[in-house]
Amino acid sequence: MARLVSPYDISDVKISWLDRQTPLQVTRGDGKYEASILLGSDVRDTKPGIYTLTVSYFERGRQWTLHHDIDVRPKSYPVQELKLPQAMVTPPKEAIARIKEESLLISNAINTITHERHWELPLKRPVDGIVTSPYGLKRIYNGSPGSPHRGVDFRAASGTPVRCAADGTVILTGDHYFGGKSVYVDHGNGVISCYMHMSKINVLNNQRLKKGDIIGYSGQTGRATGPHLHFGLYLLAHAVDPMPLFQ
């Protein structure tokens, strides 16, 4: 989490990280002003190196700009080999148009940035089951390398209630080729959570949710080898490891 705290009235707070920019909501309490945001890097898209976090804001009659270098260090991840129906590894031609359309809808959802913040830490764990596939796994599908795992898979028997990680608004629901029955929720400040492979969706687009509300029920829809929940967390459209934020 990045936080800007001042005893003075601050406004027009903006943050820039990994080629993404967003304004931040300012709150006041205990005699101080504060703006906060969750930030992270994506195992697929962010290479090790030094990246600059930039914050600009207006305070005491002038504009201020802060720069802070962040060292993104290399990390090794385990390899997981999976056996799937070949149509889920190399989709048939008749599925390509559907996959492209769904990819655009998902991209628009995870790139959503709304100004008002609704999330609070810690986030709510969506199900209680153990982690079966952690973030960052190098996956091999039927002997062919695939993209790294950009979320967390939790063990969840079919029909297990899936709960919302934080307050927010439903921005996308659907039965997708790869993700199966899926829900995407906007929590504000570029924080988007997603819930995949469910057997049933319990919410509607544009529905306001509270932390812990039942979003749906776990299942085995889409590209799945067994019943489980895939939970993803996007920060300014970067898929990050959500596990530290449950504590």
Side-chain angles (χ1 to χ4, degrees), residues 2-240:
R3 299 170 65 234
L4 177 67
V5 181
S6 175
Y8 304 104
D9 188 358
I10 56 176
S11 61
D12 196 27
V13 181
K14 295 184 179 68
I15 197 163
S16 177
W17 170 246
L18 294 177
D19 299 322
R20 303 278 177 165
Q21 298 82 35
T22 184
L24 299 187
Q25 182 183 15
V26 178
T27 59
R28 181 181 180 182
D30 298 325
K32 62 184 178 183
Y33 296 82
E34 179 177 334
S36 302
I37 189 170
L38 292 176
L39 299 173
S41 60
D42 193 316
V43 65
R44 186 191 69 183
D45 301 331
T46 310
K47 304 301 182 185
I50 303 297
Y51 298 87
T52 300
L53 170 65
T54 301
V55 181
S56 64
Y57 60 99
F58 190 80
E59 177 197 82
R60 289 175 287 170
R62 59 164 287 191
Q63 193 74 25
W64 302 78
T65 301
L66 306 176
H67 302 283
H68 186 68
D69 287 341
I70 306 293
D71 184 6
V72 176
R73 298 177 178 175
K75 182 177 180 179
S76 60
Y77 294 95
V79 175
Q80 182 184 48
E81 297 193 21
L82 296 172
K83 298 296 183 182
L84 295 167
Q86 194 58 37
M88 282 297 171
V89 179
T90 306
K93 291 182 179 179
E94 58 268 23
I96 299 300
R98 172 190 172 185
I99 292 170
K100 287 183 177 179
E101 181 180 352
E102 291 171 355
S103 294
L104 180 59
L105 291 172
I106 293 168
S107 177
N108 289 338
I110 65 178
N111 278 280
T112 298
I113 299 177
T114 51
H115 180 57
E116 187 175 356
R117 168 185 161 178
H118 300 290
W119 55 269
E120 296 290 343
L121 295 181
L123 300 181
K124 172 71 176 177
R125 190 175 170 127
V127 293
D128 293 332
I130 65 170
V131 173
T132 56
S133 294
Y135 176 89
L137 274 180
K138 298 177 181 178
R139 285 189 155 173
I140 308 295
Y141 296 108
N142 296 356
S144 299
S147 296
H149 193 220
R150 299 169 72 221
V152 174
D153 288 351
F154 293 100
R155 180 174 293 167
S158 291
T160 301
V162 176
R163 300 188 181 275
C164 193
D167 293 2
T169 301
V170 178
I171 54 174
L172 178 65
T173 64
D175 191 351
H176 301 148
Y177 187 85
F178 289 119
K181 289 184 170 63
S182 305
V183 173
Y184 292 75
V185 180
D186 173 22
H187 306 287
N189 282 146
V191 179
I192 309 294
S193 62
C194 73
Y195 313 76
M196 297 182 183
H197 307 302
M198 293 188 290
S199 60
K200 180 182 178 182
I201 293 173
N202 200 49
V203 296
L204 300 172
N205 284 332
N206 300 315
Q207 183 174 339
R208 294 294 298 270
L209 299 175
K210 291 292 186 182
K211 183 177 184 178
D213 283 351
I214 296 177
I215 284 179
Y217 299 87
S218 61
Q220 191 180 337
T221 56
R223 183 162 72 179
T225 57
H228 72 284
L229 174 75
H230 172 97
F231 176 79
L233 187 70
Y234 297 87
L235 307 181
L236 297 182
H238 301 290
V240 306

